[in-house]
Amino acid sequence: MLIINGTVHTMENGTISDGFVLMNGNRIAQVGPMSDLPMDFDRSAASIDAHGGHILPGFIDAHCHVGLYGATPPEDDLNESSASCTPQLRALDGVDPFNQYFADACRAGVTCLHTGPGSANPIAGQSILLKTTGAVVDQMAVRAPAAMKFALGENPKRVHKGQGPATRMATAALIRDKLAQALNYDLKWVRAKAGDEMDDPEFDAQLDALRPVVTGRLPAHFHAHRADDIVTAVRVAREFGLDCAIVHGTEGHLVADFLAKENIPVITGPFLMDRGKPELGRLTMENTAILARAGVQVAICTDHPETPISLLPFCAAMAARAGMDEEEALAAITINAACIVGVGDRLGSLSPGKDADVVVMDGHPFHWRSKVTHVFIDGQEVI
């Protein structure tokens, strides 16, 4: 499949004002200016003319709850209330691939999303990275698990009344305790495999799920809005050597230099909402721009259903309106998002060898009248 005559946003090798993208099967084969397309190439065969529009890598929502949260409350599978810490839960087992919001995502050019448990639990479980079309979650999965979800702040305090933490201190202490247990559990397994211990340790589902986190093989994503919660997340991550990213980071602008120095990425959002929660009192649309200018690697998320996933490109446009460089804002829903969720080698840019997830729009992606005209996922046209 060949897409011609468009402004190509490669996201890694600049923008081509009049270019083409050639897909071969489920991979991108070639990207370049129209002048590089051989004159004898059959442009009429399996080709799409962008007519001066824009060609982009598929958009990526780096944090949402699509598939775990339906159109009505009875379809809510977000938060597990049977225990305060549930690292053994897998989003893979809860996502409904026929949830209507996957189709909404496709129509908006969102070809991949990172979804998982909510923030009621200090340790909530394993998230999953999915393509946005398909009937079987296992086949849609790009990475499963993708991260372990942790939560700080108000949510873990107010959900498990009498059975969970009542203060920020207790939330952090509970997380530390579980991580310390997981380190000890991993050490016992290592010793058992080396023959230093007679028997394998008794299996523990929670600690087993945390083993890849404390050994650096699975990222830790910390829900944190307030600046002090953000710093606590970094503190805990440093104590245990975790591969850490901050999710939301609403007050990240207050500690932007700290986050840049610590090299902690932030998935910002949602910011198309009111200040209805105490932690959102200092919510500002400029947050993402301030973090980016400080040198923090940032992505933008919808946190669907807080902001509908179909508005992800609009969120990036609003970040640009609030002072973020336009290409940086595009990167926040493409290559930066891909890198933060661990798939920068496969997704997020129009580069030969990467997944053929491509979006064609009839105008600049940040213009309010621009429409998605074509969407390809793994080289297959889905819109």
Side-chain angles (χ1 to χ4, degrees), residues 144-303:
M148 181 65 71
K149 172 69 175 294
F150 294 80
L152 297 169
E154 294 299 319
N155 285 9
K157 289 167 48 182
R158 62 184 175 84
V159 173
H160 297 275
K161 296 294 185 181
Q163 298 179 355
T167 65
R168 279 175 164 77
M169 295 178 290
T171 302
L174 197 159
I175 291 172
R176 283 192 178 95
D177 182 58
K178 284 292 184 184
L179 292 173
Q181 290 180 45
L183 277 173
N184 187 50
Y185 183 77
D186 179 69
L187 181 59
K188 288 181 178 179
W189 274 104
V190 170
R191 287 176 174 173
K193 296 304 179 185
D196 295 339
E197 294 188 7
M198 294 296 293
D199 299 312
D200 290 349
E202 183 178 349
F203 179 77
D204 185 304
Q206 291 193 359
L207 301 183
D208 195 70
L210 287 170
R211 283 184 70 193
V213 180
V214 296
T215 54
R217 293 178 285 121
L218 184 66
H221 282 200
F222 279 84
H223 164 109
H225 285 283
R226 266 177 26 183
D228 56 329
D229 293 326
I230 293 170
V231 174
T232 295
V234 177
R235 184 184 307 118
V236 171
R238 292 293 180 251
E239 288 174 15
F240 289 91
L242 309 183
D243 177 7
C244 167
I246 301 299
V247 178
H248 307 312
T250 302
E251 293 187 0
H253 58 281
L254 300 178
V255 288
D257 291 339
F258 167 79
L259 289 166
K261 182 179 178 181
E262 292 291 331
N263 196 29
I264 302 293
V266 180
I267 300 170
T268 63
F271 44 74
L272 298 183
M273 56 189 305
D274 63 15
R275 298 183 177 91
K277 299 196 319 186
E279 293 172 300
L280 302 183
R282 284 183 278 272
L283 173 70
T284 173
M285 197 79 74
E286 287 77 23
N287 183 45
T288 312
I290 294 169
L291 287 166
R293 285 197 295 269
V296 178
Q297 185 181 43
V298 292
I300 292 172
C301 74
T302 62
D303 195 28

Side-chain angles (χ1 to χ4, degrees), residues 107-126:
R107 285 192 290 269
V110 180
T111 59
C112 187
L113 56 83
H114 182 213
T115 189
S119 51
N121 305 70
I123 310 177
Q126 305 168 19

